[in-house]
Amino acid sequence: MFRRSQRRIVIPFLLPALILTGLFFLYPLVRAGIISFEHFSRTGRTSFTGGEQYRKLVDDPSYTRALKNTFLLTFIGACMLFPPAVAVAWALHQKLYGESFFRFVVFAPAVLSTAVVALMWKFIYHPTIGLIDPALRSAGLGALARTWLGDPTTALPAIAFTVVWQGIGIWVVLLSAGFERLPVEVLEAGRVDGAGEWALFRRIMLPMLRDLMRILLVLWVVQSMQSFAFVQIMTRGGPFGSTDVVSTLMYRTAFDQADFGYAAAMGVTLLFVMLALTVIVNKVLKRDVIQY
Amino acid sequence: MSARARAIMAALSAAFLATAACSGGKGGSSHAASVTQPVKGGPIEAGVIPAKGTPSYNFLRDLANGLEKDYPGTKMTLTFANTEARPGLEQRWRSGKGPDLDYGMFDGTNPNLQDWANDDFLVDLTPYLKQQNPQTGKPWLDSFSPTAQPFMKNKDGKYYAVPTEASLTVLFYNAKIFKDHDIKPPATWDELLTAVDQLKAAGVDPIAVTGLFEPYMGMWSDYLFLRSVGYAKTRAALSDCTGKLDDPGFADGLTKLQQLRDKGAFLKGFQGTDFTAAQASFFQGKAGMILMGSWLVSEMKKSIPPDFQLGAIGFPSLPGGHGDQTALMGGEQLVSLNAKSDVIPLAIEWLKRLTSKQTQTARAKEIGEVSAVNDVGAPPEMPGMDKVMKSASTMVPRYYGIPDSKTKDAVYPEIAKLFFGKSDAQQTLNNLKSNLSRVCGN
């Protein structure tokens, strides 16, 4: 009797979340899976093709290249994001003078729209009318000037930098919360034992933040593997496909060529790749929980 | 089964049936209107190419206001229908809610853009086009230039679109710079190379080009192949997958492109320059020439300095080339009518007004649009365009249909590599052969 009445109370509370999850996550997921077994004409006529789209994916160098670029963007972005984010979060933890101003400066880009940031950086990277190259030339460092978005070796890192520039504030906030949670007694004990700030950071803080870092890394992997807007606005996947990621290739396949079935197969494959990567990252970085 | 369970099952079955009915299938019921049906006012939505706020858009808005005034009850909505808006609009068409009039739904020269017509989404305009115009005594169809008509016509002989403007790919040049430095507008490839040298000597980048939009770099190779190989063979090899790159003219065309690159003919930093910035560089006098569609002038109207002297010439010929030496590449902006439209006679009236000689002449003069309607002169803002059009033997579709073909990612990225110095002419040809062989399966 009690359980029944308890269930009656729980269901209405769960229902909104279940409906939203079903409508915006489960249904699209299942539908994408179904679509990936169909061929679409431009006008939307469909025919069942079985696993043909998946077989095609295996032999498609554009998809392989896009997948490679997606991994690269994730890796380069992680290298650009985490060291400075941890450093800034640590610095903000040190009770600096004007701390709230620095917090504002670091977080400000996060409130700008992606399109604005992408267009702004597209201009900044411009080789002749931008800001970086002319500045380098006027400082006598012309040899370092590059056509950042026009060179296949620098285009992807340049996009990754832009993604990081905009998003770093969020990661700093999350990491700052981690630093704030560190038990003062443990840090004090370290100091009493003669540990310097560097040793304290490396040997006490970082190990204690390991769980948080693992979660943030998984979040970054999931987020960066779905990058679309920056690539689409800044390079459209060029030069010659060197920045093409799975989402931009998927978009072109679906909306330029109206091949929704093939695009869905790309999406489903990416989903499984992301799931696998998430599990691997979780497994590799998982350690015994440190209680504090 | 309880009554409640039966009700749920019935609702689910209805939902599945509705879903099945909505998926697949053809465009369906056409509101076939008689050609003599009177025009009645009503809400109508028309796709337009220019963006809101541009002089070109304002011109169309004025025309729409005229239609609203003449047919009480008409409320005309102009919806942006250019490249960036296409995915969203096509989704509307698929769900049966496309605008009454739209661009990019049909092109008789491109098999990849004929599905909408073949699946009955579009109104067959043939009876309307063959109807006599009471003012001229001739069919409406006859008012369009013969070069435009293949773009309007499907394989089955029916017409599914009318051109509201033409876009010709020509070599624009800064006439003042050319005059000041005594440079002759190039008519042949050798003259182009000479002009490049002279412009460089004058401290001006010879050719503005974008490195961030591959099809615009492809305009150069497209024209070179047209001159050195010819349209039909190039189209068969690069887009239709019915031919191969065996003709020596392909290597010749690519070698010519490499020649330009090795001379440093392109805008400094073009690799990282998008097309708006490249076009702006040309109008700022930083580059002497630009190969571009005739939309350049209307698109950049607000950024062209008042004292800028523009010149236009056809793409240089390749003496000894086996292709078409005077053919012009271009396209038509084609508008089609939705078969599900409730205001077909009103939509036809809009099309007739938009493609009338009077409107087209005003658009050429005020906006700088090139017309596909007979006896409408070239825009006065494009000196030389009249001559280019008269001297052209024929007009062939630009890009050979590559952007809508499965060869899209196989061709232009290789041309971009050649531009960027990442491959030479022979490597480009080999890569093209291997990519096309993979994509086309031949």
Side-chain angles (χ1 to χ4, degrees):
Chain A
M1 193 66 186
F2 173 72
R3 274 198 179 164
R4 204 171 177 186
S5 60
Q6 199 178 32
R7 217 167 37 226
R8 278 190 181 161
I9 292 171
V10 169
I11 288 171
F13 281 98
L14 284 179
L15 213 55
L18 285 175
I19 290 172
L20 289 175
T21 308
L23 206 61
F24 296 109
F25 178 70
L26 292 175
Y27 172 70
L29 187 66
V30 173
R31 188 82 185 102
I34 295 169
I35 288 174
S36 70
F37 293 106
E38 292 173 337
H39 173 72
F40 275 69
S41 77
R42 184 167 278 275
T43 57
R45 266 186 297 119
T46 56
S47 55
F48 184 73
T49 58
E52 182 56 36
Q53 318 269 27
Y54 290 95
R55 275 195 291 278
K56 208 167 121 188
L57 266 188
V58 177
D59 296 328
D60 186 349
S62 301
Y63 185 71
T64 319
R65 184 186 56 203
L67 203 56
K68 190 189 90 189
N69 288 340
T70 308
F71 280 118
L72 265 177
L73 185 70
T74 301
F75 177 73
I76 296 170
C79 294
M80 285 177 176
L81 172 68
F82 284 102
V86 170
V88 173
W90 177 83
L92 292 173
H93 179 61
Q94 303 304 308
K95 308 293 172 225
L96 294 172
Y97 176 74
E99 181 198 331
S100 48
F101 171 74
F102 288 119
R103 271 187 201 278
F104 166 75
V105 169
V106 173
F107 194 76
V111 299
L112 296 175
S113 90
T114 302
V116 169
V117 172
L119 286 172
M120 185 180 82
W121 275 93
K122 193 171 171 178
F123 167 74
I124 291 173
Y125 284 133
H126 193 282
T128 52
I129 56 171
L131 294 183
I132 300 173
D133 284 358
L136 285 170
R137 281 191 204 100
S138 54
L141 299 168
L144 296 176
R146 296 279 180 280
T147 46
W148 301 99
L149 294 177
D151 185 336
T153 54
T154 54
L156 201 63
I159 292 174
F161 182 80
T162 311
V163 175
V164 168
W165 182 85
Q166 191 205 16
I168 195 166
I170 306 276
W171 305 88
V172 167
V173 167
L174 294 171
L175 283 161
S176 293
F179 277 107
E180 295 297 331
R181 277 188 60 230
L182 294 177
V184 182
E185 310 81 52
V186 177
L187 300 178
E188 282 307 315
R191 285 195 184 96
V192 170
D193 288 344
E197 284 305 310
W198 173 242
L200 212 59
F201 172 74
R202 206 165 68 88
R203 297 190 184 278
I204 299 176
M205 289 180 169
L206 274 188
M208 290 176 94
L209 286 174
R210 192 181 188 102
D211 249 12
L212 175 67
M213 293 297 285
R214 178 170 56 84
I215 293 164
L216 293 185
L217 201 60
V218 169
L219 277 177
W220 169 253
V221 168
V222 172
Q223 184 194 313
S224 61
M225 289 195 84
Q226 297 175 74
S227 297
F228 170 76
F230 282 104
V231 178
Q232 182 69 10
I233 296 171
M234 293 175 81
T235 61
R236 291 170 189 255
F240 23 96
S242 59
T243 60
D244 213 9
V245 289
V246 175
S247 51
T248 50
L249 180 66
M250 230 163 77
Y251 177 83
R252 283 205 315 276
T253 307
F255 295 107
D256 285 355
Q257 291 162 7
D259 198 348
F260 288 93
Y262 194 42
M266 290 179 186
V268 170
T269 312
L270 181 67
L271 174 78
F272 284 108
V273 169
M274 277 165 59
L275 279 176
L277 200 64
T278 307
V279 170
I280 292 168
V281 171
N282 252 323
K283 285 244 183 236
V284 169
L285 296 181
K286 184 100 177 157
R287 292 285 188 274
D288 291 337
V289 178
I290 301 170
Q291 297 286 351
Y292 57 89
Chain B
M1 195 185 281
S2 71
R4 189 200 268 177
R6 272 201 301 275
I8 292 171
M9 286 299 289
L12 278 175
S13 310
F16 275 116
L17 283 172
T19 312
C22 289
S23 64
K26 288 192 164 195
S29 62
S30 156
H31 288 206
S34 154
V35 284
T36 53
Q37 206 173 314
V39 180
K40 275 189 202 160
I44 178 170
E45 184 186 9
V48 292
I49 300 294
K52 209 169 180 176
T54 59
S56 203
Y57 176 91
N58 294 339
F59 184 97
L60 294 172
R61 190 60 255 176
D62 287 344
L63 197 67
N65 292 344
L67 195 75
E68 287 178 355
K69 198 174 149 201
D70 294 347
Y71 296 98
T74 300
K75 174 91 183 75
M76 188 148 200
T77 308
L78 303 181
T79 301
F80 182 63
N82 213 341
T83 321
E84 300 295 327
R86 294 314 311 160
L89 282 171
E90 288 199 4
Q91 280 296 73
R92 282 183 56 189
W93 277 89
R94 282 182 204 106
S95 61
K97 290 173 186 163
D100 298 289
L101 292 152
D102 199 7
Y103 284 87
M105 303 305 292
F106 178 80
D107 184 342
T109 65
N110 188 345
N112 294 303
L113 286 177
Q114 291 158 8
D115 288 354
W116 299 104
N118 296 335
D119 283 357
D120 303 331
F121 279 80
L122 308 178
V123 170
D124 170 15
L125 297 172
T126 316
Y128 300 97
L129 284 161
K130 296 214 165 151
Q131 208 181 15
Q132 288 224 329
N133 179 339
Q135 285 164 348
T136 61
K138 289 179 183 171
W140 183 23
L141 180 64
D142 286 4
S143 64
F144 297 105
S145 94
T147 53
Q149 293 188 20
F151 290 83
M152 305 158 63
K153 196 175 174 181
N154 203 5
K155 279 179 292 199
D156 57 10
K158 293 176 181 171
Y159 292 84
Y160 285 98
V162 292
T164 59
E165 60 251 30
S167 55
L168 311 173
T169 308
V170 296
L171 191 61
F172 289 101
Y173 64 96
N174 185 325
K176 187 172 184 305
I177 293 180
F178 272 59
K179 204 170 153 189
D180 289 351
H181 296 93
D182 203 18
I183 304 170
K184 187 183 164 202
T188 64
W189 187 257
D190 288 341
E191 287 176 8
L192 177 72
L193 296 180
T194 308
V196 164
D197 290 336
Q198 288 174 301
L199 284 165
K200 283 187 78 178
V204 177
D205 287 345
I207 297 166
V209 68
T210 168
L212 292 180
F213 191 60
E214 287 162 354
Y216 282 3
M217 285 180 273
M219 283 177 175
W220 281 91
S221 55
D222 286 353
Y223 252 125
L224 282 164
F225 293 152
L226 181 67
R227 301 282 188 254
S228 63
V229 181
Y231 183 78
K233 273 189 188 174
T234 308
R235 168 128 203 170
L238 295 186
S239 174
D240 294 346
C241 290
T242 52
K244 289 196 170 187
L245 295 170
D246 296 335
D247 192 298
F250 287 111
D252 187 39
L254 293 170
T255 307
K256 295 268 187 299
L257 196 51
Q258 189 184 332
Q259 237 179 341
L260 271 192
R261 180 199 76 189
D262 293 345
K263 267 183 172 291
F266 302 123
L267 183 73
K268 278 186 204 81
F270 77 92
Q271 299 93 332
T273 303
D274 71 14
F275 59 82
T276 311
Q279 290 168 188
S281 298
F282 171 69
F283 286 115
Q284 287 159 2
K286 290 177 185 165
M289 295 177 273
I290 186 168
L291 182 65
M292 190 49 64
S294 51
W295 61 76
L296 178 72
V297 174
S298 58
E299 191 174 273
M300 299 295 287
K301 203 168 177 64
K302 281 184 176 171
S303 316
I304 303 176
D307 59 343
F308 191 88
Q309 293 172 28
L310 187 69
I313 46 173
F315 191 84
S317 64
L318 295 186
H322 293 106
D324 312 310
Q325 298 309 312
T326 55
L328 202 54
M329 297 199 97
E332 305 289 344
Q333 299 291 5
L334 296 154
V335 64
S336 300
L337 212 164
N338 191 338
K340 286 189 174 175
S341 171
D342 291 324
V343 285
I344 288 177
L346 185 65
I348 294 285
E349 178 61 21
W350 164 258
L351 289 179
K352 284 185 176 168
R353 287 182 180 208
L354 185 53
T355 59
S356 73
K357 191 176 162 187
Q358 189 191 356
T359 307
Q360 293 285 312
T361 306
R363 282 188 92 192
K365 280 186 184 157
E366 294 170 32
I367 310 295
E369 298 283 12
V370 177
S371 180
V373 170
N374 289 323
D375 304 324
V376 174
E381 288 169 325
M382 284 188 224
M385 190 58 96
D386 256 333
K387 200 177 158 195
V388 171
M389 288 158 78
K390 277 180 195 149
S391 59
S393 56
T394 181
M395 184 173 88
V396 295
R398 65 166 173 268
Y399 304 134
Y400 301 97
I402 294 169
D404 301 299
S405 149
K406 60 182 174 183
T407 63
K408 186 185 178 187
D409 289 336
V411 178
Y412 289 141
E414 295 304 330
I415 301 300
K417 281 183 195 166
L418 179 60
F419 265 82
F420 279 52
K422 301 287 175 191
S423 60
D424 63 23
Q426 191 53 50
Q427 286 167 328
T428 305
L429 185 63
N430 294 342
N431 293 346
L432 283 173
K433 280 181 179 172
S434 123
N435 288 357
L436 288 168
S437 159
R438 172 178 50 78
V439 172
C440 297
N442 60 21

